[in-house]
Amino acid sequence: MTSLNKNELSSRTNLRNLTSTAKAGLHNAAIYPRKRYSLLALLLLGLVLCAAIYWPYRLPGALGSIFIAPVAFTFLCWVIFSLVAVGYVPGALDMQHNFARIGFLNSAGEAPYLIQKEQHGNVVTYTYRCTGFPVSLWVDKQLELESALNMLIADVKEGKDRRTVTLCCVPPEHAFDTAEWHDRYIHYNEDNLLLLGRGLTSDITINIDKTPHILIGGNTGSGKTILLQCLLWQAIEQADVVYVADFKGGVDFPRAWQEFAYIITNEQKLLVLLNRLADTLEKRKQLFKEVEAANITEYRQKAGDYMQRIVFACDEVAELLDRTGADKERKELLAQIEARLALIARQGRAFGVHLILATQRPDANILSGQIKNNMNIRICGRADTTLSTIIIGDGRAAEQIPHDAQGRFLMEDGTVFQAYYFNDATLK
């Protein structure tokens, strides 16, 4: 591309941005009373200025018509200027310069242009006009964009014309303050909904009817066990049957939990439990077939029977399934346990049997493909690149979560949230 072509493109882009700003001004005047009054005041000022410039040159007859064209042209230019003034978003040019500083440009060297800014509480929405900037590029460059904006990006949406992109942002101050858990957050009447924590703009809730299994990763001290406890407590309060495999000496699930959940600390007993859950799956298949129900919600409605959900959790699945140094007998035992977990992961969704697995070990071979591929919700806390890649597919958690952050998590789809601080005192 020659320099001349680039200059021509730049000129056309500037003209397009000017037109977009004028259209935004017209839109703002139609929607917002303050903008409307500002536009009317500017137009009135334009009339006064035109009168002041051309009125002294009153000429008789046909000579007076000479000034009609320049008066009309001058006022038209003033109208365009007024629309641009009303439609211009303060800081739009500075934002373009900041984008240029981080290299967020298309092949013609152009940066996105801000055409609209809206604020509702702490949430700020920026809408940009841009060409050559697919949504995937905005997502990939999220960290650089947050630096340029000095904001945290909660969501990226593409406009209908594919040449506008909207960023939903919040200021970084207090975005991830620690919040105490309270039972009023529980969805008592909707046992398919579990609250993960506070996102940038709203609470993050998952529907386990649609995404039934959860995989949580994070280094020691990242808060994954507290998140696991919080999810299990919600399930307990929603009248689900909860089983917890705890092979860490009962440190994270002390005696108080045994009043509300079944705690398994022995591998042989765990296999017995998983075999029983496999039998439960088969029984529920037959019951669902009899009433022609596709899932547990339909079964409850058609059979009039409140079938309880079953939640199985393991706090450190890598410790459970690690075959390093195991003899033949133990390897066979672990193979059977893994096979049962894989069965539940494949078939549990429709029949109300759910897995929540947590790990801090960056071992790619610990979880089999059948289990891992069926873990629909993947969440990673503070972690190194290896563990982040195992859990969510890339190293974003290592990049986006500070090394001293506790309770902050990143989902596979890019959603960031702060888990509620859950205290065992809640059990009492």
Side-chain angles (χ1 to χ4, degrees), residues 174-212:
H174 310 300
F176 294 112
D177 286 347
T178 302
E180 294 281 344
W181 170 259
H182 196 281
D183 282 353
R184 65 173 176 269
Y185 302 143
I186 297 174
H187 296 269
Y188 284 103
N189 297 322
E190 298 175 282
D191 72 337
N192 59 316
L193 300 181
L194 294 177
L195 177 61
L196 292 175
R198 292 184 296 107
L200 290 173
T201 59
S202 62
D203 283 339
I204 305 301
T205 303
I206 57 174
N207 186 339
I208 58 175
D209 275 341
K210 298 179 179 178
T211 50

Side-chain angles (χ1 to χ4, degrees), residues 335-383:
Q336 294 180 63
I337 290 174
E338 184 176 321
R340 288 293 178 258
L341 289 175
L343 175 66
I344 296 172
R346 291 195 310 272
Q347 301 182 11
R349 182 188 68 83
F351 305 106
V353 183
H354 309 278
L355 296 179
I356 305 179
L357 306 180
T359 184
Q360 66 182 22
R361 292 263 304 274
D363 299 317
N365 297 321
I366 290 296
L367 283 177
S368 70
Q370 288 192 41
I371 298 176
K372 186 176 178 182
N373 293 339
N374 285 284
M375 303 304 288
N376 318 86
I377 297 291
R378 300 186 187 183
I379 303 167
C380 192
R382 187 181 71 241

Side-chain angles (χ1 to χ4, degrees), residues 42-55 74 78:
L42 286 171
L43 293 178
L44 181 60
L45 178 60
L47 288 173
V48 172
L49 290 175
C50 287
I53 294 172
Y54 294 106
W55 190 260
T74 303
W78 183 264

Side-chain angles (χ1 to χ4, degrees), residues 102 189-190 226 283 341 408:
I102 65 171
N189 297 322
E190 298 175 282
I226 292 177
K283 292 177 182 177
L341 289 175
R408 193 176 309 176

Side-chain angles (χ1 to χ4, degrees), residues 11 13 18 24 44 58 60 74-75 79 95 109 129 142 145 162 168 207 212 235 264 283 289 298 308 322-323 407 428:
S11 300
T13 299
L18 183 69
L44 181 60
R58 287 177 294 175
T74 303
F75 185 70
V79 170
M95 198 172 288
R129 182 170 181 83
Q142 179 173 332
L145 293 172
R162 300 182 67 85
C168 184
N207 186 339
I264 300 97
K283 292 177 182 177
K289 184 177 181 180
E298 283 190 18
Q308 289 178 286
D322 189 3
R323 294 175 172 79
K428 301 178 183 179

Side-chain angles (χ1 to χ4, degrees), residues 257-317:
W257 278 90
Q258 297 180 17
E259 299 182 25
F260 307 99
Y262 298 91
I263 310 298
I264 300 97
T265 58
N266 179 278
E267 292 173 351
Q268 294 286 352
K269 292 182 179 179
L270 175 59
L271 180 58
V272 172
L273 167 66
L274 293 176
N275 285 331
R276 192 160 71 242
L277 292 181
D279 293 339
T280 300
L281 277 176
E282 292 301 318
K283 292 177 182 177
R284 292 190 173 188
K285 284 182 186 178
Q286 185 61 36
L287 290 173
F288 283 28
K289 184 177 181 180
E290 291 174 0
V291 298
E292 297 182 347
N295 52 55
I296 188 171
T297 302
E298 283 190 18
Y299 175 81
R300 289 171 175 174
Q301 294 172 347
K302 293 182 176 181
D305 173 25
Y306 186 82
M307 177 181 286
Q308 289 178 286
R309 294 182 188 274
I310 299 173
V311 178
F312 173 80
C314 183
D315 189 22
E316 184 45 76
V317 68

